[in-house]
Amino acid sequence: MNDDLDERIRSGKALSESMGNFHVTGWDPERKLLSAAFTVRREYCHTNGTIAQGGFITAWLDAAMAHAVMHESGHKQTVFSLEIKVSFYEKVGPGEGRTEARVIRRGKRVAFLEASLYNAQGKLAAEATSTGMLADL
């Protein structure tokens, strides 16, 4: 493996890039609410490049919830999803997207999380709830 790619994988940059440059845009510690943004690329879409495949939508929601745990724990913990449920409401097509994720409860070993995803038109397009196992970073 080339050293640059190995470093990008270790740092998480390669994953972020492959998820449409997924990045955190804000953290509200009082509300335990994380905001993130990404680009829905046509290659993530089916139906002639017009509708994002559900696995990508789930990945953006999951990533936002994981980052919410990292921020809420002061970057001392991450979370491994044990269960995730996603409800799809609106089409997500190419363009800019955003997510909001919240830590509902973080115990000693388990976290309960929720996230919302908004499409390029600003409409609520999907929501997720998740139960995850906490792990130290």
PDB file of all heavy atoms in Angstrom, residues 73-108:
ATOM      1  N   SER A  73     -17.937  13.374  24.190  1.00  0.00           N
ATOM      2  CA  SER A  73     -16.994  12.757  25.136  1.00  0.00           C
ATOM      3  C   SER A  73     -15.652  13.485  25.189  1.00  0.00           C
ATOM      4  O   SER A  73     -14.724  12.997  25.817  1.00  0.00           O
ATOM      5  CB  SER A  73     -16.759  11.288  24.757  1.00  0.00           C
ATOM      6  OG  SER A  73     -16.006  11.198  23.557  1.00  0.00           O
ATOM      7  N   GLY A  74     -15.543  14.613  24.510  1.00  0.00           N
ATOM      8  CA  GLY A  74     -14.266  15.322  24.478  1.00  0.00           C
ATOM      9  C   GLY A  74     -13.211  14.577  23.688  1.00  0.00           C
ATOM     10  O   GLY A  74     -12.021  14.640  24.011  1.00  0.00           O
ATOM     11  N   HIS A  75     -13.637  13.853  22.665  1.00  0.00           N
ATOM     12  CA  HIS A  75     -12.768  13.049  21.789  1.00  0.00           C
ATOM     13  C   HIS A  75     -12.059  11.928  22.545  1.00  0.00           C
ATOM     14  O   HIS A  75     -10.972  11.507  22.165  1.00  0.00           O
ATOM     15  CB  HIS A  75     -11.777  13.936  21.032  1.00  0.00           C
ATOM     16  CG  HIS A  75     -12.472  14.868  20.085  1.00  0.00           C
ATOM     17  ND1 HIS A  75     -12.893  14.480  18.838  1.00  0.00           N
ATOM     18  CD2 HIS A  75     -12.872  16.156  20.237  1.00  0.00           C
ATOM     19  CE1 HIS A  75     -13.500  15.499  18.252  1.00  0.00           C
ATOM     20  NE2 HIS A  75     -13.500  16.517  19.080  1.00  0.00           N
ATOM     21  N   LYS A  76     -12.716  11.430  23.598  1.00  0.00           N
ATOM     22  CA  LYS A  76     -12.163  10.309  24.362  1.00  0.00           C
ATOM     23  C   LYS A  76     -12.814   8.987  23.971  1.00  0.00           C
ATOM     24  O   LYS A  76     -12.292   7.932  24.271  1.00  0.00           O
ATOM     25  CB  LYS A  76     -12.346  10.544  25.861  1.00  0.00           C
ATOM     26  CG  LYS A  76     -11.516  11.702  26.363  1.00  0.00           C
ATOM     27  CD  LYS A  76     -11.722  11.947  27.825  1.00  0.00           C
ATOM     28  CE  LYS A  76     -10.883  13.137  28.237  1.00  0.00           C
ATOM     29  NZ  LYS A  76     -11.350  13.732  29.465  1.00  0.00           N
ATOM     30  N   GLN A  77     -13.998   9.063  23.302  1.00  0.00           N
ATOM     31  CA  GLN A  77     -14.707   7.841  22.929  1.00  0.00           C
ATOM     32  C   GLN A  77     -15.241   7.931  21.507  1.00  0.00           C
ATOM     33  O   GLN A  77     -15.453   9.022  20.975  1.00  0.00           O
ATOM     34  CB  GLN A  77     -15.886   7.583  23.875  1.00  0.00           C
ATOM     35  CG  GLN A  77     -15.481   7.166  25.263  1.00  0.00           C
ATOM     36  CD  GLN A  77     -16.694   6.828  26.097  1.00  0.00           C
ATOM     37  OE1 GLN A  77     -17.656   7.589  26.147  1.00  0.00           O
ATOM     38  NE2 GLN A  77     -16.653   5.687  26.758  1.00  0.00           N
ATOM     39  N   THR A  78     -15.453   6.754  20.947  1.00  0.00           N
ATOM     40  CA  THR A  78     -16.185   6.621  19.692  1.00  0.00           C
ATOM     41  C   THR A  78     -17.281   5.602  19.942  1.00  0.00           C
ATOM     42  O   THR A  78     -17.444   5.123  21.064  1.00  0.00           O
ATOM     43  CB  THR A  78     -15.258   6.208  18.529  1.00  0.00           C
ATOM     44  OG1 THR A  78     -16.000   6.299  17.303  1.00  0.00           O
ATOM     45  CG2 THR A  78     -14.697   4.802  18.702  1.00  0.00           C
ATOM     46  N   VAL A  79     -18.017   5.267  18.910  1.00  0.00           N
ATOM     47  CA  VAL A  79     -19.125   4.331  19.082  1.00  0.00           C
ATOM     48  C   VAL A  79     -19.160   3.380  17.894  1.00  0.00           C
ATOM     49  O   VAL A  79     -18.872   3.763  16.765  1.00  0.00           O
ATOM     50  CB  VAL A  79     -20.467   5.097  19.236  1.00  0.00           C
ATOM     51  CG1 VAL A  79     -20.814   5.866  17.990  1.00  0.00           C
ATOM     52  CG2 VAL A  79     -21.588   4.189  19.664  1.00  0.00           C
ATOM     53  N   PHE A  80     -19.472   2.131  18.182  1.00  0.00           N
ATOM     54  CA  PHE A  80     -19.658   1.114  17.148  1.00  0.00           C
ATOM     55  C   PHE A  80     -21.144   0.782  17.112  1.00  0.00           C
ATOM     56  O   PHE A  80     -21.727   0.420  18.126  1.00  0.00           O
ATOM     57  CB  PHE A  80     -18.851  -0.152  17.446  1.00  0.00           C
ATOM     58  CG  PHE A  80     -17.374   0.108  17.561  1.00  0.00           C
ATOM     59  CD1 PHE A  80     -16.695  -0.203  18.727  1.00  0.00           C
ATOM     60  CD2 PHE A  80     -16.660   0.661  16.512  1.00  0.00           C
ATOM     61  CE1 PHE A  80     -15.330   0.032  18.838  1.00  0.00           C
ATOM     62  CE2 PHE A  80     -15.297   0.904  16.611  1.00  0.00           C
ATOM     63  CZ  PHE A  80     -14.636   0.592  17.775  1.00  0.00           C
ATOM     64  N   SER A  81     -21.759   0.938  15.956  1.00  0.00           N
ATOM     65  CA  SER A  81     -23.198   0.733  15.836  1.00  0.00           C
ATOM     66  C   SER A  81     -23.564  -0.720  16.094  1.00  0.00           C
ATOM     67  O   SER A  81     -23.016  -1.632  15.481  1.00  0.00           O
ATOM     68  CB  SER A  81     -23.674   1.134  14.431  1.00  0.00           C
ATOM     69  OG  SER A  81     -23.441   2.496  14.217  1.00  0.00           O
ATOM     70  N   LEU A  82     -24.497  -0.917  17.010  1.00  0.00           N
ATOM     71  CA  LEU A  82     -25.056  -2.240  17.270  1.00  0.00           C
ATOM     72  C   LEU A  82     -26.367  -2.410  16.516  1.00  0.00           C
ATOM     73  O   LEU A  82     -26.712  -3.506  16.090  1.00  0.00           O
ATOM     74  CB  LEU A  82     -25.308  -2.425  18.770  1.00  0.00           C
ATOM     75  CG  LEU A  82     -24.074  -2.391  19.663  1.00  0.00           C
ATOM     76  CD1 LEU A  82     -24.489  -2.391  21.123  1.00  0.00           C
ATOM     77  CD2 LEU A  82     -23.164  -3.563  19.351  1.00  0.00           C
ATOM     78  N   GLU A  83     -27.086  -1.290  16.363  1.00  0.00           N
ATOM     79  CA  GLU A  83     -28.374  -1.299  15.673  1.00  0.00           C
ATOM     80  C   GLU A  83     -28.603   0.096  15.132  1.00  0.00           C
ATOM     81  O   GLU A  83     -28.254   1.085  15.770  1.00  0.00           O
ATOM     82  CB  GLU A  83     -29.473  -1.675  16.679  1.00  0.00           C
ATOM     83  CG  GLU A  83     -30.884  -1.592  16.178  1.00  0.00           C
ATOM     84  CD  GLU A  83     -31.523  -0.214  16.379  1.00  0.00           C
ATOM     85  OE1 GLU A  83     -31.105   0.546  17.258  1.00  0.00           O
ATOM     86  OE2 GLU A  83     -32.449   0.087  15.599  1.00  0.00           O
ATOM     87  N   ILE A  84     -29.132   0.160  13.929  1.00  0.00           N
ATOM     88  CA  ILE A  84     -29.482   1.454  13.347  1.00  0.00           C
ATOM     89  C   ILE A  84     -30.775   1.276  12.553  1.00  0.00           C
ATOM     90  O   ILE A  84     -30.936   0.295  11.829  1.00  0.00           O
ATOM     91  CB  ILE A  84     -28.339   2.029  12.483  1.00  0.00           C
ATOM     92  CG1 ILE A  84     -28.673   3.443  11.995  1.00  0.00           C
ATOM     93  CG2 ILE A  84     -27.963   1.124  11.348  1.00  0.00           C
ATOM     94  CD1 ILE A  84     -27.484   4.194  11.411  1.00  0.00           C
ATOM     95  N   LYS A  85     -31.688   2.216  12.748  1.00  0.00           N
ATOM     96  CA  LYS A  85     -32.960   2.201  12.025  1.00  0.00           C
ATOM     97  C   LYS A  85     -33.061   3.511  11.266  1.00  0.00           C
ATOM     98  O   LYS A  85     -32.863   4.580  11.838  1.00  0.00           O
ATOM     99  CB  LYS A  85     -34.138   2.082  12.981  1.00  0.00           C
ATOM    100  CG  LYS A  85     -35.490   2.130  12.265  1.00  0.00           C
ATOM    101  CD  LYS A  85     -36.631   2.249  13.256  1.00  0.00           C
ATOM    102  CE  LYS A  85     -37.961   2.295  12.558  1.00  0.00           C
ATOM    103  NZ  LYS A  85     -38.236   3.554  11.892  1.00  0.00           N
ATOM    104  N   VAL A  86     -33.359   3.415   9.984  1.00  0.00           N
ATOM    105  CA  VAL A  86     -33.461   4.607   9.140  1.00  0.00           C
ATOM    106  C   VAL A  86     -34.851   4.667   8.518  1.00  0.00           C
ATOM    107  O   VAL A  86     -35.356   3.668   8.013  1.00  0.00           O
ATOM    108  CB  VAL A  86     -32.385   4.600   8.026  1.00  0.00           C
ATOM    109  CG1 VAL A  86     -32.510   5.845   7.153  1.00  0.00           C
ATOM    110  CG2 VAL A  86     -30.993   4.491   8.619  1.00  0.00           C
ATOM    111  N   SER A  87     -35.442   5.852   8.561  1.00  0.00           N
ATOM    112  CA  SER A  87     -36.698   6.123   7.872  1.00  0.00           C
ATOM    113  C   SER A  87     -36.405   7.129   6.774  1.00  0.00           C
ATOM    114  O   SER A  87     -35.754   8.153   7.015  1.00  0.00           O
ATOM    115  CB  SER A  87     -37.735   6.704   8.844  1.00  0.00           C
ATOM    116  OG  SER A  87     -38.050   5.766   9.847  1.00  0.00           O
ATOM    117  N   PHE A  88     -36.874   6.832   5.560  1.00  0.00           N
ATOM    118  CA  PHE A  88     -36.651   7.680   4.395  1.00  0.00           C
ATOM    119  C   PHE A  88     -37.948   8.407   4.068  1.00  0.00           C
ATOM    120  O   PHE A  88     -38.986   7.771   3.908  1.00  0.00           O
ATOM    121  CB  PHE A  88     -36.214   6.833   3.200  1.00  0.00           C
ATOM    122  CG  PHE A  88     -34.953   6.048   3.459  1.00  0.00           C
ATOM    123  CD1 PHE A  88     -35.011   4.743   3.928  1.00  0.00           C
ATOM    124  CD2 PHE A  88     -33.706   6.607   3.237  1.00  0.00           C
ATOM    125  CE1 PHE A  88     -33.861   4.011   4.165  1.00  0.00           C
ATOM    126  CE2 PHE A  88     -32.546   5.893   3.469  1.00  0.00           C
ATOM    127  CZ  PHE A  88     -32.621   4.593   3.940  1.00  0.00           C
ATOM    128  N   TYR A  89     -37.884   9.745   3.954  1.00  0.00           N
ATOM    129  CA  TYR A  89     -39.079  10.554   3.730  1.00  0.00           C
ATOM    130  C   TYR A  89     -39.118  11.236   2.370  1.00  0.00           C
ATOM    131  O   TYR A  89     -40.180  11.385   1.786  1.00  0.00           O
ATOM    132  CB  TYR A  89     -39.208  11.646   4.792  1.00  0.00           C
ATOM    133  CG  TYR A  89     -39.118  11.152   6.208  1.00  0.00           C
ATOM    134  CD1 TYR A  89     -38.244  11.753   7.105  1.00  0.00           C
ATOM    135  CD2 TYR A  89     -39.904  10.103   6.661  1.00  0.00           C
ATOM    136  CE1 TYR A  89     -38.170  11.326   8.425  1.00  0.00           C
ATOM    137  CE2 TYR A  89     -39.828   9.666   7.976  1.00  0.00           C
ATOM    138  CZ  TYR A  89     -38.954  10.283   8.847  1.00  0.00           C
ATOM    139  OH  TYR A  89     -38.873   9.859  10.135  1.00  0.00           O
ATOM    140  N   GLU A  90     -37.984  11.747   1.933  1.00  0.00           N
ATOM    141  CA  GLU A  90     -37.910  12.539   0.706  1.00  0.00           C
ATOM    142  C   GLU A  90     -36.737  12.062  -0.130  1.00  0.00           C
ATOM    143  O   GLU A  90     -35.782  11.489   0.388  1.00  0.00           O
ATOM    144  CB  GLU A  90     -37.694  14.028   1.022  1.00  0.00           C
ATOM    145  CG  GLU A  90     -38.838  14.729   1.694  1.00  0.00           C
ATOM    146  CD  GLU A  90     -39.968  15.068   0.745  1.00  0.00           C
ATOM    147  OE1 GLU A  90     -39.746  15.115  -0.480  1.00  0.00           O
ATOM    148  OE2 GLU A  90     -41.090  15.294   1.245  1.00  0.00           O
ATOM    149  N   LYS A  91     -36.788  12.380  -1.399  1.00  0.00           N
ATOM    150  CA  LYS A  91     -35.694  12.085  -2.319  1.00  0.00           C
ATOM    151  C   LYS A  91     -34.445  12.873  -1.905  1.00  0.00           C
ATOM    152  O   LYS A  91     -34.533  14.037  -1.521  1.00  0.00           O
ATOM    153  CB  LYS A  91     -36.128  12.478  -3.724  1.00  0.00           C
ATOM    154  CG  LYS A  91     -35.055  12.408  -4.769  1.00  0.00           C
ATOM    155  CD  LYS A  91     -35.592  12.902  -6.101  1.00  0.00           C
ATOM    156  CE  LYS A  91     -34.443  13.287  -6.992  1.00  0.00           C
ATOM    157  NZ  LYS A  91     -34.879  13.776  -8.284  1.00  0.00           N
ATOM    158  N   VAL A  92     -33.303  12.215  -2.002  1.00  0.00           N
ATOM    159  CA  VAL A  92     -32.011  12.869  -1.835  1.00  0.00           C
ATOM    160  C   VAL A  92     -31.293  12.699  -3.160  1.00  0.00           C
ATOM    161  O   VAL A  92     -30.988  11.582  -3.566  1.00  0.00           O
ATOM    162  CB  VAL A  92     -31.191  12.237  -0.690  1.00  0.00           C
ATOM    163  CG1 VAL A  92     -29.820  12.885  -0.594  1.00  0.00           C
ATOM    164  CG2 VAL A  92     -31.940  12.338   0.635  1.00  0.00           C
ATOM    165  N   GLY A  93     -31.097  13.794  -3.851  1.00  0.00           N
ATOM    166  CA  GLY A  93     -30.434  13.749  -5.147  1.00  0.00           C
ATOM    167  C   GLY A  93     -29.093  14.444  -5.084  1.00  0.00           C
ATOM    168  O   GLY A  93     -28.648  14.861  -4.014  1.00  0.00           O
ATOM    169  N   PRO A  94     -28.431  14.579  -6.216  1.00  0.00           N
ATOM    170  CA  PRO A  94     -27.138  15.249  -6.241  1.00  0.00           C
ATOM    171  C   PRO A  94     -27.229  16.673  -5.694  1.00  0.00           C
ATOM    172  O   PRO A  94     -28.238  17.350  -5.850  1.00  0.00           O
ATOM    173  CB  PRO A  94     -26.779  15.273  -7.731  1.00  0.00           C
ATOM    174  CG  PRO A  94     -27.544  14.132  -8.316  1.00  0.00           C
ATOM    175  CD  PRO A  94     -28.826  14.088  -7.531  1.00  0.00           C
ATOM    176  N   GLY A  95     -26.166  17.085  -5.036  1.00  0.00           N
ATOM    177  CA  GLY A  95     -26.103  18.429  -4.451  1.00  0.00           C
ATOM    178  C   GLY A  95     -25.583  18.367  -3.035  1.00  0.00           C
ATOM    179  O   GLY A  95     -25.062  17.348  -2.585  1.00  0.00           O
ATOM    180  N   GLU A  96     -25.739  19.470  -2.345  1.00  0.00           N
ATOM    181  CA  GLU A  96     -25.246  19.557  -0.972  1.00  0.00           C
ATOM    182  C   GLU A  96     -26.281  18.978  -0.005  1.00  0.00           C
ATOM    183  O   GLU A  96     -27.469  19.203  -0.158  1.00  0.00           O
ATOM    184  CB  GLU A  96     -24.935  21.010  -0.609  1.00  0.00           C
ATOM    185  CG  GLU A  96     -23.852  21.626  -1.485  1.00  0.00           C
ATOM    186  CD  GLU A  96     -22.585  20.797  -1.556  1.00  0.00           C
ATOM    187  OE1 GLU A  96     -22.020  20.455  -0.497  1.00  0.00           O
ATOM    188  OE2 GLU A  96     -22.147  20.462  -2.680  1.00  0.00           O
ATOM    189  N   GLY A  97     -25.790  18.250   0.978  1.00  0.00           N
ATOM    190  CA  GLY A  97     -26.648  17.696   2.013  1.00  0.00           C
ATOM    191  C   GLY A  97     -26.094  18.060   3.376  1.00  0.00           C
ATOM    192  O   GLY A  97     -24.942  18.466   3.502  1.00  0.00           O
ATOM    193  N   ARG A  98     -26.938  17.918   4.376  1.00  0.00           N
ATOM    194  CA  ARG A  98     -26.466  18.172   5.741  1.00  0.00           C
ATOM    195  C   ARG A  98     -27.171  17.232   6.714  1.00  0.00           C
ATOM    196  O   ARG A  98     -28.255  16.720   6.417  1.00  0.00           O
ATOM    197  CB  ARG A  98     -26.657  19.630   6.134  1.00  0.00           C
ATOM    198  CG  ARG A  98     -28.076  20.079   6.246  1.00  0.00           C
ATOM    199  CD  ARG A  98     -28.176  21.577   6.599  1.00  0.00           C
ATOM    200  NE  ARG A  98     -29.568  21.976   6.673  1.00  0.00           N
ATOM    201  CZ  ARG A  98     -30.316  21.917   7.770  1.00  0.00           C
ATOM    202  NH1 ARG A  98     -29.792  21.462   8.889  1.00  0.00           N
ATOM    203  NH2 ARG A  98     -31.580  22.293   7.748  1.00  0.00           N
ATOM    204  N   THR A  99     -26.519  17.028   7.830  1.00  0.00           N
ATOM    205  CA  THR A  99     -27.079  16.188   8.876  1.00  0.00           C
ATOM    206  C   THR A  99     -26.988  16.912  10.205  1.00  0.00           C
ATOM    207  O   THR A  99     -26.138  17.786  10.399  1.00  0.00           O
ATOM    208  CB  THR A  99     -26.329  14.845   9.019  1.00  0.00           C
ATOM    209  OG1 THR A  99     -24.959  15.117   9.285  1.00  0.00           O
ATOM    210  CG2 THR A  99     -26.467  13.992   7.799  1.00  0.00           C
ATOM    211  N   GLU A 100     -27.852  16.516  11.114  1.00  0.00           N
ATOM    212  CA  GLU A 100     -27.781  16.931  12.510  1.00  0.00           C
ATOM    213  C   GLU A 100     -27.902  15.657  13.322  1.00  0.00           C
ATOM    214  O   GLU A 100     -28.772  14.827  13.044  1.00  0.00           O
ATOM    215  CB  GLU A 100     -28.907  17.897  12.866  1.00  0.00           C
ATOM    216  CG  GLU A 100     -28.783  19.238  12.202  1.00  0.00           C
ATOM    217  CD  GLU A 100     -29.913  20.192  12.576  1.00  0.00           C
ATOM    218  OE1 GLU A 100     -30.928  19.733  13.160  1.00  0.00           O
ATOM    219  OE2 GLU A 100     -29.776  21.378  12.284  1.00  0.00           O
ATOM    220  N   ALA A 101     -27.026  15.492  14.301  1.00  0.00           N
ATOM    221  CA  ALA A 101     -27.042  14.285  15.131  1.00  0.00           C
ATOM    222  C   ALA A 101     -26.985  14.677  16.600  1.00  0.00           C
ATOM    223  O   ALA A 101     -26.340  15.665  16.968  1.00  0.00           O
ATOM    224  CB  ALA A 101     -25.862  13.384  14.775  1.00  0.00           C
ATOM    225  N   ARG A 102     -27.650  13.887  17.411  1.00  0.00           N
ATOM    226  CA  ARG A 102     -27.747  14.186  18.830  1.00  0.00           C
ATOM    227  C   ARG A 102     -27.460  12.935  19.666  1.00  0.00           C
ATOM    228  O   ARG A 102     -27.898  11.839  19.324  1.00  0.00           O
ATOM    229  CB  ARG A 102     -29.149  14.694  19.132  1.00  0.00           C
ATOM    230  CG  ARG A 102     -29.392  15.098  20.554  1.00  0.00           C
ATOM    231  CD  ARG A 102     -30.800  15.567  20.807  1.00  0.00           C
ATOM    232  NE  ARG A 102     -31.438  16.131  19.656  1.00  0.00           N
ATOM    233  CZ  ARG A 102     -31.515  17.438  19.328  1.00  0.00           C
ATOM    234  NH1 ARG A 102     -31.068  18.300  20.013  1.00  0.00           N
ATOM    235  NH2 ARG A 102     -32.101  17.877  18.269  1.00  0.00           N
ATOM    236  N   VAL A 103     -26.754  13.166  20.765  1.00  0.00           N
ATOM    237  CA  VAL A 103     -26.555  12.118  21.756  1.00  0.00           C
ATOM    238  C   VAL A 103     -27.747  12.188  22.700  1.00  0.00           C
ATOM    239  O   VAL A 103     -27.936  13.182  23.395  1.00  0.00           O
ATOM    240  CB  VAL A 103     -25.239  12.313  22.537  1.00  0.00           C
ATOM    241  CG1 VAL A 103     -25.092  11.246  23.616  1.00  0.00           C
ATOM    242  CG2 VAL A 103     -24.037  12.296  21.599  1.00  0.00           C
ATOM    243  N   ILE A 104     -28.567  11.149  22.695  1.00  0.00           N
ATOM    244  CA  ILE A 104     -29.728  11.098  23.582  1.00  0.00           C
ATOM    245  C   ILE A 104     -29.277  10.710  24.987  1.00  0.00           C
ATOM    246  O   ILE A 104     -29.636  11.335  25.972  1.00  0.00           O
ATOM    247  CB  ILE A 104     -30.784  10.085  23.062  1.00  0.00           C
ATOM    248  CG1 ILE A 104     -31.234  10.461  21.650  1.00  0.00           C
ATOM    249  CG2 ILE A 104     -31.960   9.980  24.021  1.00  0.00           C
ATOM    250  CD1 ILE A 104     -31.829  11.839  21.528  1.00  0.00           C
ATOM    251  N   ARG A 105     -28.454   9.662  25.057  1.00  0.00           N
ATOM    252  CA  ARG A 105     -27.908   9.207  26.338  1.00  0.00           C
ATOM    253  C   ARG A 105     -26.613   8.464  26.071  1.00  0.00           C
ATOM    254  O   ARG A 105     -26.548   7.629  25.171  1.00  0.00           O
ATOM    255  CB  ARG A 105     -28.882   8.287  27.058  1.00  0.00           C
ATOM    256  CG  ARG A 105     -28.372   7.855  28.427  1.00  0.00           C
ATOM    257  CD  ARG A 105     -29.412   7.020  29.161  1.00  0.00           C
ATOM    258  NE  ARG A 105     -29.025   6.731  30.509  1.00  0.00           N
ATOM    259  CZ  ARG A 105     -28.092   5.841  30.866  1.00  0.00           C
ATOM    260  NH1 ARG A 105     -27.438   5.169  29.954  1.00  0.00           N
ATOM    261  NH2 ARG A 105     -27.814   5.622  32.131  1.00  0.00           N
ATOM    262  N   ARG A 106     -25.590   8.786  26.876  1.00  0.00           N
ATOM    263  CA  ARG A 106     -24.316   8.072  26.799  1.00  0.00           C
ATOM    264  C   ARG A 106     -24.042   7.504  28.174  1.00  0.00           C
ATOM    265  O   ARG A 106     -23.815   8.232  29.134  1.00  0.00           O
ATOM    266  CB  ARG A 106     -23.190   9.021  26.361  1.00  0.00           C
ATOM    267  CG  ARG A 106     -21.848   8.322  26.168  1.00  0.00           C
ATOM    268  CD  ARG A 106     -20.824   9.245  25.527  1.00  0.00           C
ATOM    269  NE  ARG A 106     -20.538  10.421  26.314  1.00  0.00           N
ATOM    270  CZ  ARG A 106     -19.554  10.525  27.206  1.00  0.00           C
ATOM    271  NH1 ARG A 106     -18.742   9.503  27.435  1.00  0.00           N
ATOM    272  NH2 ARG A 106     -19.372  11.649  27.865  1.00  0.00           N
ATOM    273  N   GLY A 107     -24.125   6.171  28.274  1.00  0.00           N
ATOM    274  CA  GLY A 107     -23.845   5.499  29.531  1.00  0.00           C
ATOM    275  C   GLY A 107     -22.386   5.078  29.612  1.00  0.00           C
ATOM    276  O   GLY A 107     -21.521   5.656  28.941  1.00  0.00           O
ATOM    277  N   LYS A 108     -22.126   4.043  30.398  1.00  0.00           N
ATOM    278  CA  LYS A 108     -20.753   3.549  30.529  1.00  0.00           C
ATOM    279  C   LYS A 108     -20.320   2.731  29.322  1.00  0.00           C
ATOM    280  O   LYS A 108     -19.163   2.767  28.922  1.00  0.00           O
ATOM    281  CB  LYS A 108     -20.611   2.697  31.797  1.00  0.00           C
ATOM    282  CG  LYS A 108     -20.679   3.511  33.058  1.00  0.00           C
ATOM    283  CD  LYS A 108     -20.462   2.636  34.271  1.00  0.00           C
ATOM    284  CE  LYS A 108     -20.545   3.479  35.534  1.00  0.00           C
ATOM    285  NZ  LYS A 108     -20.296   2.678  36.733  1.00  0.00           N
TER     286      LYS A 108
END
